[in-house]
Amino acid sequence: MAWVIRAVLFHALLLISMVGIDVFVWKEISFHDIPVAEVSCPLSSESRVVRGFSMEPLFFAGDALTISFGWYVCHVPVRNDAVLVSFAGNRVPLLKRIRGIPGDTFQILTLPTGEGEFFLNDEILKNIRGEAYRIPPVRASLWRLYEAEFHGVIPTDKFFVLGEIPTGSLDSSRFGFVSRDDLLGRVEQ
């Protein structure tokens, strides 16, 4: 956030100097010389218990995890972060891993069975066990539509989240990309 404020101030100063307003003396400055108010992160940590098995062997049903809620308000989501995701207004968030981030390329390879395999940045996408994700034909059709609509690039502020079940679980393989606002918190374990 601070770099955005610094960039706006820099461009405002640049614009003023270009139109010839002599309000002040121009001097060479660094972005870090511009004072910026500190932004506080609304973090809260809570313990949550895993329900379900879609994240095995990373997390098992009954495992207690510490979640940093609000983490992504002030931090950039990172590939392979384990996260709690809000899904369609459900009261119980989903536990998944961020597998694709904005700017990543994606492709769905259709197999002779009609199933689809995900490729991310030209590499086959595999779970923690090294198994390729293979989704049923109906979901593969949905993802081919996404691939055409977004030209095979994950859009700005969108993320691809998956569980560890190679045939997919209740994750992006079923419902598509999630927005940054849907990332409720990061798993600290």
Side-chain angles (χ1 to χ4, degrees):
M1 182 66 160
W3 68 269
V4 172
I5 295 168
R6 287 187 183 109
V8 168
L9 288 173
F10 174 78
H11 284 93
L13 294 173
L14 185 61
L15 182 62
I16 289 170
S17 70
M18 288 171 51
V19 295
I21 300 173
D22 291 72
V23 175
F24 51 85
V25 176
W26 179 262
K27 71 172 194 164
E28 193 171 317
I29 59 170
S30 159
F31 284 125
H32 300 290
D33 293 337
I34 301 171
V36 176
E38 290 297 315
V39 176
S40 65
C41 289
L43 289 179
S44 68
S45 291
E46 291 181 28
S47 181
R48 296 286 175 102
V49 175
V50 175
R51 297 179 350 173
F53 58 92
S54 72
M55 291 298 290
E56 290 180 6
L58 290 177
F59 308 111
F60 294 90
D63 284 355
L65 304 176
T66 300
I67 311 298
S68 289
F69 285 94
W71 179 264
Y72 297 111
V73 171
C74 299
H75 298 88
V76 175
V78 176
R79 183 183 331 281
N80 291 319
D81 274 0
V83 297
L84 280 189
V85 179
S86 173
F87 168 66
N90 285 356
R91 290 183 54 219
V92 179
L94 304 173
L95 175 61
K96 302 297 168 192
R97 263 195 318 150
I98 297 174
R99 300 307 307 272
I101 59 176
D104 281 351
T105 60
F106 68 95
Q107 179 183 6
I108 306 306
L109 174 68
T110 305
L111 303 173
T113 60
E115 295 173 304
E117 285 185 333
F118 286 108
F119 279 75
L120 192 65
N121 299 323
D122 298 321
E123 292 187 21
I124 193 161
L125 192 55
K126 298 180 179 181
N127 67 6
I128 196 79
R129 293 184 184 102
E131 302 163 318
Y133 287 96
R134 232 179 227 183
I135 57 174
V138 171
R139 286 192 242 158
S141 295
L142 169 73
W143 274 97
R144 281 191 294 282
L145 292 173
Y146 277 126
E147 186 178 351
E149 181 179 346
F150 298 111
H151 307 287
V153 178
I154 297 177
T156 302
D157 200 40
K158 299 293 182 199
F159 299 88
F160 186 65
V161 296
L162 291 173
E164 296 302 320
I165 299 173
T167 55
S169 60
L170 186 54
D171 56 25
S172 285
S173 70
R174 286 187 189 224
F175 51 72
F177 299 119
V178 298
S179 73
R180 187 172 180 160
D181 292 340
D182 294 326
L183 304 177
L184 301 176
R186 185 176 85 160
V187 175
E188 299 299 330
Q189 220 175 9

